[in-house]
Amino acid sequence: MFVANYVDRVNIGFAQDQLRADVGISAAAFGFGAGLFFVAYAIFEVPSNMLMERFGAKIWLTRIMITWGLVASAMAFVTSTEMFYALRFLLGVAEAGFFPAVIYYFTRWLPDADRGRATAIFLMGSGTASVIAGPLSGALLEMHGLLGHSGWQWMFFLEGIASVLLGLVVFRFLDNRLEDATWLTGPEKAALTAAIDAEQAARTAARGTAKVSRLRLLTDPQMLLFCWLYFAISLALYAVTFWLPSIVDDIGGLSEFEVGLLVAVPWLCAIAGVYVAGRASDRIGRRRPFLVGALLLGSVGTLLATMVSPWLALAALCLAAMGFKTSSPVFWTIPQSYLDARVAAPAIALVNSLGNLGGFVSPTAFGILQDATGSTRGGLIGLSVVGVLAAMGVALIRGGGRNERPRGRRTATGPAPVTHSATGGAGAADPPPDAAPAGA
């Protein structure tokens, strides 16, 4: 689902030149329209995630997927800048809630010690989509003139309809709850349920028996810090995503398909980085050092891309893609552990929706800068600064950033005991930053 989701979200980066030629959309208008998606996403994400709790993952995630596919295919009929703006906004409305719904879904299926790898595997979908989107979109763009339609029209229509069809398949196979999984044995379900319930009991014991206030958690300073960190990650990631095809095209002498193939290279590197970081952070039990390292790697990559030739800039952007893409799954394991399960869905949606506004700011700023200067150099320098500031902000995170999974072997009778509270919140006791994982 995430592969299809990401393709439909970012494929406009490949249609940029054709849209500007056929519809008359300027670089600034393109950047603004690309970012409008995230404004709508921010507005409707929290309500969408709360509705998911009411209707269940099976119905709600299917609804999200089919509606975004219909809107994505309608992009084939854009005839003006205003229509482009409207459809990008509607795509954000349709997709709102998908990502945080899946992150919340993991909290009900997996213990904390395993969510780093699970989140990394899930987020590899966006890297996989970036790899697929390049050659696929490039090939579809070369259908220009078929049956009297432009290549960008074929690209939007076919990729959107594919999501609609996949949504019908999802409705058939997706399980709502752990108890519904026919592919797990009874003892496996019991072991998973016991581990998840034990973690929630530990959070509840640490917080007390008083009713948890969603408003209080959503105004927690740590939640605001999470929003800033994800804003910075999104700012950098979507700037690279939307403008990478244009940067690669500057190499010159390349067909649409060849541009698509080269755009896939940084995301292949990113997939490897995401998986390795997810496994290593789970095993070592330290989330924050991995997050800092990923943000700094992304910053170095974007800065180097401003100083070298287009071919070397592509290599530098491989580093940037690895850093910023890896930072996202590592980041999400921290609020997952920090939050009480009773408020996890709306709180995760809040972080994701406000943080995703970075996806509005970065393409808009890049478009304005390109119209004004004819180059993306200033935007890339700005991204490197943002990455460094975000890395510094990670030091302010307290609680919820560690996985204290016992490193011994699990017994045959059930999962390893849960030894951490992972509570966070106002007044929560914080573990010493240099403490070794339990069982080390």
Side-chain angles (χ1 to χ4, degrees):
M1 292 177 76
F2 199 22
V3 169
N5 173 266
Y6 210 77
V7 168
D8 287 336
R9 180 184 301 186
V10 305
N11 56 8
I12 61 168
F14 299 93
Q16 179 182 171
D17 292 340
Q18 291 192 18
L19 280 171
R20 293 173 69 176
D22 293 354
V23 186
I25 297 176
S26 68
F30 170 81
F32 181 74
L36 274 177
F37 167 93
F38 298 98
V39 175
Y41 206 101
I43 294 172
F44 291 96
E45 189 158 31
V46 173
S48 176
N49 221 38
M50 295 176 74
L51 287 170
M52 191 277 291
E53 286 186 284
R54 177 177 178 182
F55 292 105
K58 185 184 186 74
I59 292 176
W60 200 245
L61 287 174
T62 302
R63 192 284 305 164
I64 289 174
M65 188 165 202
I66 291 175
T67 54
W68 98 51
L70 292 172
V71 175
S73 63
M75 285 286 294
F77 305 101
V78 167
T79 57
S80 66
T81 299
E82 291 75 20
M83 188 175 179
F84 174 64
Y85 289 165
L87 286 175
R88 284 296 294 179
F89 187 86
L90 287 176
L91 185 64
V93 174
E95 283 193 28
F98 172 72
F99 179 83
V102 174
I103 296 298
Y104 172 71
Y105 190 61
F106 286 169
T107 68
R108 310 312 305 147
W109 281 75
L110 294 167
D112 177 69
D114 298 294
R115 283 201 296 267
R117 279 168 292 171
T119 305
I121 292 170
F122 171 63
L123 287 178
M124 283 169 63
S126 63
T128 303
S130 298
V131 172
I132 292 173
L136 175 62
S137 298
L140 294 176
L141 287 172
E142 293 194 348
M143 294 173 64
H144 188 77
L146 181 64
L147 300 180
H149 297 291
S150 298
W152 62 269
Q153 292 179 303
W154 284 111
M155 181 193 71
F156 285 131
F157 183 77
L158 293 177
E159 290 177 351
I161 290 300
S163 293
V164 174
L165 297 177
L166 182 58
L168 300 176
V169 175
V170 167
F171 185 75
R172 167 66 178 82
F173 290 103
L174 189 68
D175 293 320
N176 260 329
R177 302 171 302 164
L178 197 154
E179 293 83 356
D180 300 330
T182 58
W183 41 274
L184 289 173
T185 65
E188 288 171 338
K189 294 179 186 179
L192 279 171
T193 300
I196 294 168
D197 288 349
E199 289 180 349
Q200 174 56 24
R203 296 186 182 100
T204 302
R207 291 181 183 275
T209 58
K211 183 179 179 180
V212 177
S213 168
R214 294 188 176 195
L215 180 61
R216 181 181 175 187
L217 265 182
L218 298 181
T219 55
D220 188 314
Q222 289 291 293
M223 291 297 298
L224 297 178
L225 178 58
F226 291 147
C227 289
W228 150 245
L229 290 175
Y230 196 58
F231 175 86
I233 292 170
S234 298
L235 186 81
L237 190 55
Y238 283 110
V240 175
T241 300
F242 285 129
W243 292 94
L244 183 58
S246 177
I247 294 171
V248 172
D249 194 47
D250 289 342
I251 293 173
L254 301 173
S255 69
E256 299 283 2
F257 183 65
E258 289 169 336
V259 169
L261 287 175
L262 287 177
V263 166
V265 174
W267 303 118
L268 282 170
C269 298
I271 289 174
V274 165
Y275 186 69
V276 170
R279 288 183 63 88
S281 68
D282 270 350
R283 181 173 181 80
I284 296 173
R286 297 290 191 275
R287 311 294 193 189
R288 281 169 281 193
F290 280 92
L291 181 54
V292 170
L295 289 168
L296 293 179
L297 178 63
S299 298
V300 170
T302 52
L303 185 61
L304 288 175
T306 68
M307 303 176 178
V308 295
S309 66
W311 279 108
L312 291 177
L314 177 62
L317 288 173
C318 289
L319 297 179
M322 286 180 65
F324 291 131
K325 183 68 77 173
T326 298
S327 65
S328 185
V330 175
F331 164 80
W332 277 113
T333 60
I334 298 175
Q336 279 179 324
S337 299
Y338 178 84
L339 295 166
D340 189 298
R342 290 168 288 178
V343 294
I348 288 172
L350 177 78
V351 173
N352 193 57
S353 58
L354 294 182
N356 261 321
L357 288 176
F360 169 74
V361 174
S362 60
T364 302
F366 263 64
I368 294 172
L369 285 171
Q370 184 167 12
D371 272 350
T373 66
S375 171
T376 58
R377 185 173 184 273
L380 290 173
I381 292 174
L383 289 185
S384 67
V385 174
V386 168
V388 171
L389 292 175
M392 294 170 62
V394 174
L396 300 177
I397 296 175
R398 55 178 181 78
R402 300 175 66 245
N403 164 19
E404 306 226 320
R405 171 185 179 183
R407 296 174 68 180
R409 182 176 301 175
R410 296 189 182 195
T411 65
T413 58
V418 178
T419 61
H420 67 292
S421 62
T423 56
D430 301 323
D434 299 323

